[in-house]
Each structure stands twice: as structure tokens, then as C-alpha cells.
Amino acid sequence: MTKKISGSHQALKDEYDELLLKMALSNFAAVDGEQLEAENRVLKEDPFFQPSKSVSRDFEKRIKRGIFLCRIFSFFNIVSVLKAALGLSICLISILLSIVSVKAVRVLFLNLLVTRPQPSHSTSDSFLLSKDGGINLPEADGLVDAVQFIVVSF
């Protein structure tokens, strides 16, 4: 007598077979892993498979040199970024200062040239400032005339 296995029974049997196969493979992997770990312990203790002292030293030197070079390159990378930021900020400040100061310097220079200093023999604290807001300079008519000529020619 043969009994027909229904669809749900067949699915359960297939699932059981798959789980049984997975359990067998897992058990085999565990046993094989234990054997490999034992073999690894034996090889670690065997001096034939250990590197010599000189090879170990050379390897440590290479690793230390590589770490040192990585640190140097990362330091220079940080320094180059800081240099770029510093250069950019200096350029920005100089541009802003030139924009702000061009007009102020021009006005002060023209005020200096327009205002003729009067000879003053007083010893007050405002030696360089005149009463009309200009700047008092010692008498140098030739110098003032030359500067006025230069300004007028612009």
C-alpha cells in the first residue's frame, strides 16, 4: 500500500531534509574547525614556522616607518589646508582694506595738498593739525608745489 503524501506533508518533509542537511554541515564545520585550531596551535609552537628575529625586526621597522610616513603626510595635509586658509584670509583682508582705504587716503591726501600750512611758532599739542582741519607741515613751498602738480596731472 502506498500512501500519497499531501502537499503540506511534502513541504514539511522537504523542510525537514533541508534542516537535517544544514545541521550535518554545521556539525562537520565545527569538528573540522576544532581540528584546524589544534593544528594552528601546533604550528604556532613549532620554531620552524616562526619568523627569525631579524625578519621580525625588519617587519616591525617597516610597520613603524609606514605609520610615521602616514602621520607626516597627514600633518602636511593639515598644514597645507591651514596655509591655504591663511592665504585666502590675508587676500580677503587686503582687498577689503584697499576698498575701504582708497577713498579715505585720497581725501586725506587732497586735504593735505589743498590746505596750505601757516607758519606756527606755538608749542601746542596739536602741532600737525590746523584750525581749519588740515595738516600743518613745516614750510616747504617747493615740495607742496611739486605735489600739487602731480595731483593736478592725474
Side-chain angles (χ1 to χ4, degrees):
M1 267 191 161
T2 60
K3 282 187 176 180
K4 281 191 160 188
I5 301 175
S6 67
S8 65
H9 283 64
Q10 182 65 33
L12 288 174
K13 185 170 178 5
D14 289 341
E15 187 178 348
Y16 173 76
D17 290 340
E18 284 182 34
L19 290 174
L20 190 62
L21 180 64
K22 286 181 182 178
M23 193 168 65
L25 289 175
S26 175
N27 189 20
F28 174 74
V31 170
D32 196 32
E34 288 174 3
Q35 289 174 351
L36 289 174
E37 285 180 3
E39 184 179 341
N40 194 16
R41 272 185 251 123
V42 169
L43 290 176
K44 279 184 180 179
E45 293 171 0
D46 191 3
F48 178 75
F49 295 106
Q50 297 298 318
S52 66
K53 299 247 186 225
S54 63
V55 171
S56 296
R57 247 181 296 133
D58 291 342
F59 184 71
E60 286 178 15
K61 281 182 185 178
R62 263 192 267 159
I63 289 177
K64 288 179 182 178
R65 189 178 312 131
I67 291 171
F68 179 72
L69 290 176
C70 285
R71 287 182 181 167
I72 286 177
F73 288 136
S74 67
F75 174 75
F76 283 127
N77 191 17
I78 291 170
V79 168
S80 65
V81 169
L82 291 177
K83 282 182 181 178
L86 179 66
L88 185 63
S89 63
I90 288 173
C91 288
L92 184 65
I93 289 171
S94 66
I95 288 170
L96 289 175
L97 284 176
S98 66
I99 290 171
V100 170
S101 64
V102 165
K103 185 175 180 182
V105 168
R106 184 177 48 137
V107 168
L108 285 175
F109 189 69
L110 288 176
N111 283 343
L112 173 72
L113 296 178
V114 170
T115 308
R116 294 273 310 192
Q118 301 299 326
S120 168
H121 300 292
S122 66
T123 58
S124 65
D125 292 337
S126 61
F127 173 70
L128 293 176
L129 296 177
S130 68
K131 294 178 183 172
D132 58 354
I135 299 175
N136 288 328
L137 293 176
E139 283 296 317
D141 288 332
L143 178 64
V144 172
D145 292 336
V147 172
Q148 283 178 349
F149 174 74
I150 292 171
V151 172
V152 171
S153 65
F154 282 115

